[in-house]
Amino acid sequence: MPVLVITGTGTEVGKTVTTAAVAAAAVAAGRSVAVLKAAQTGVAPDERGDAAEVARLAGAVTTAEVARYPEPLAPATAARRAGLPPVRPHEIAEAAAKLATEHDLVLVEGAGGLLVRFDDAGSTLADAAELMAAPVLVVASAGLGTLNTTELSARELRRRHLDLLGVVIGSWPEAPDLASRCNIADLPDVAAAPLLGAVPAGAGALAPADFRAGAPGWLAPRLFGTWDADGFRVREAP
């Protein structure tokens, strides 16, 4: 798995913190890691973006961006309004391939959800994943409504014959409600893919050393961690 694409079921589901957790766990397992942000929106040229936040939390990783736009909008809209060139899937694939020649693992973080548009032709992160023939990790929210958005993302990946590696809950609440607890069992069912972790809510606010120490325990072995889905289900059972 030299390249892993990380997408979310929408915005604000914990995608960047999950990317940082995967990076931290991989580094702890002795892998060299690069993080590529496909399209960074909503930050000025001199501001820290998502890739920099991943590096702050995860530690010794290489970071890169394909494009950056100042307004917090979908990449296609942000590029058009800024008068800047849009991101093209082949540019993402080429940047990831270059990083993969020098690193064991390249994490490609999308912007928003799987089908957020990069350009006016309707290109998306899914198109980039096809070019890279890379597996995709879906980051989902914990509570009510997540089953629908997760299943839609999973169906689109299957329609494109892309490999859905699994699902990670990007922000697991300290006191989960009934819907969240039930979703532990239901998310793998609707996605037809394993649940590969649950990142605690507020993990991004931890001190970097504490984040790196905790990350392997939030993720399953396929993501370089020690998290056990069966034990988590028992602990969080209704």
Side-chain angles (χ1 to χ4, degrees):
M1 186 176 64
V3 178
L4 175 63
V5 174
I6 301 180
T7 190
T9 55
T11 59
E12 304 300 324
V13 295
K15 185 169 69 271
T16 296
V17 175
T18 298
T19 300
V22 176
V27 169
R31 307 303 199 274
S32 60
V33 179
V35 177
L36 177 66
K37 183 68 178 182
Q40 177 67 65
T41 64
V43 293
D46 59 345
E47 289 182 325
R48 294 171 57 87
D50 291 342
E53 177 65 5
V54 171
R56 183 186 73 83
L57 291 169
V61 300
T62 300
T63 61
E65 294 175 354
V66 179
R68 172 178 285 223
Y69 308 110
E71 294 181 312
L73 302 167
T77 306
R80 185 172 61 250
R81 285 179 53 85
L84 294 171
V87 178
R88 307 293 187 186
H90 73 86
E91 295 173 326
I92 300 169
E94 289 168 2
K98 182 177 180 180
L99 289 167
T101 64
E102 302 170 345
H103 299 82
D104 299 322
L105 176 66
V106 179
L107 302 176
V108 180
E109 183 186 348
L114 180 68
L115 297 183
V116 168
R117 295 190 171 198
F118 287 146
D119 58 30
D120 289 337
S123 300
T124 68
L125 185 66
D127 296 310
E130 286 186 83
L131 290 176
M132 294 182 285
V136 179
L137 180 69
V138 172
V139 181
S141 58
L144 197 63
T146 195
L147 299 181
N148 177 65
T149 53
T150 300
E151 185 166 1
L152 288 171
S153 297
R155 286 190 180 192
E156 179 63 15
L157 289 168
R158 288 196 297 271
R159 186 185 72 81
R160 292 171 177 259
H161 304 290
L162 288 167
D163 176 21
L164 173 54
L165 186 71
V167 177
V168 169
I169 298 172
S171 182
W172 182 253
E174 183 176 351
D177 60 14
L178 177 61
S180 298
R181 297 195 304 271
C182 290
N183 287 340
I184 298 168
D186 291 340
L187 277 168
D189 184 40
V190 301
L195 186 63
L196 294 179
V199 178
L206 292 172
D210 294 334
F211 184 93
R212 295 166 200 168
W218 308 332
L219 301 168
R222 291 196 75 180
L223 295 174
F224 311 100
T226 60
W227 183 86
D228 176 65
D230 291 335
F232 188 75
R233 290 190 187 100
V234 170
R235 180 168 63 83
E236 301 292 345

